Amino acid sequence: ASHHDVDKVAFTGSHVTGQSIIRASAGNLKRVSLELGGKSPDIVFADADLDAAVPGAAMAVFANSGQICSAGTRLFVEQSIYEEFVGRVAEFGKKLQIGNGLDPNTQIGPLVSEQQLERVQRYVRIGQEEGAELALGGSRHGTVGYFHEPTVFTGVRNDMRIAQEEIFGPVLTITPYA
């Protein structure tokens, strides 16, 4: 970011790293574009086609095991369909095939490293400690590799860490709204 032959920096990641990039790029006033921890919310209204919305919302976070910056990790569901939607997302998640990413039948592959698996497990514990409830998953999958079950939290408040911080794992928070 500080190199004088670099004219533009685009970065997606943490606000701490974003601040470092801004400081480093100030020397030659280069253009900088930052996307810093947006936590990618999805919103489902009561009139949604639930047969389309459930897999869409679920795979928005479960695809790539949640390891993409645009993963739909926060889901807001209109109160009148909340319970049904949570149940349907949990059922959908239970049926997903977890395994080797090279297997064409696999729908959820491994996390990138043991360190990332531990990070996801730490956030699951944090969510529970802060009062969120598991509707699905919450555990490592198997004993070989870095697999984590699709995980769904309910009872999530916006001030909880799992609602504010990027987890980069297959963890979905569902919050009702009116």
Side-chain angles (χ1 to χ4, degrees):
S2 63
H3 197 283
H4 289 284
D5 288 338
V6 173
D7 295 325
K8 165 104 171 122
V9 175
F11 173 76
T12 300
S14 77
H15 74 280
V16 173
T17 303
Q19 289 170 334
S20 294
I21 289 171
I22 287 173
R23 283 191 296 275
S25 65
N28 69 346
L29 300 174
K30 66 182 63 171
R31 290 170 294 158
V32 177
S33 298
L34 304 173
E35 193 289 309
L36 305 176
K39 203 53 180 145
S40 307
D42 285 335
I43 301 170
V44 178
F45 291 89
D47 63 351
D49 173 355
L50 299 189
D51 291 335
V54 166
M59 293 312 291
V61 66
F62 298 148
N64 297 308
S65 296
Q67 298 173 106
I68 52 176
C69 294
S70 62
T73 57
R74 289 187 308 156
L75 179 60
F76 295 98
V77 177
E78 196 163 354
Q79 183 69 52
S80 63
I81 62 165
Y82 177 77
E83 293 298 328
E84 177 184 0
F85 203 87
V86 167
R88 289 177 70 165
V89 167
E91 282 302 311
F92 181 89
K94 284 181 192 175
K95 296 175 184 173
L96 293 175
Q97 179 69 35
I98 301 170
N100 185 323
L102 299 176
D103 180 342
N105 295 318
T106 293
Q107 295 165 296
I108 296 185
L111 294 166
V112 70
S113 66
E114 183 175 10
Q115 179 183 5
Q116 186 58 25
L117 175 62
E118 291 169 0
R119 175 186 166 91
V120 171
Q121 292 176 311
R122 186 171 56 253
Y123 272 106
V124 169
R125 286 191 304 275
I126 289 168
Q128 291 174 304
E129 289 166 1
E130 290 184 342
E133 299 171 14
L134 285 170
L136 175 68
S139 299
R140 176 182 187 153
H141 177 79
T143 58
V144 177
Y146 309 124
F147 300 94
H148 197 279
E149 300 172 328
T151 299
V152 175
F153 274 109
T154 61
V156 178
R157 296 182 321 273
N158 288 325
D159 65 340
M160 291 180 171
R161 288 181 62 190
I162 60 171
Q164 294 184 9
E165 298 176 16
E166 294 286 358
I167 298 172
F168 289 104
V171 179
L172 175 64
T173 65
I174 307 180
T175 305
Y177 73 90

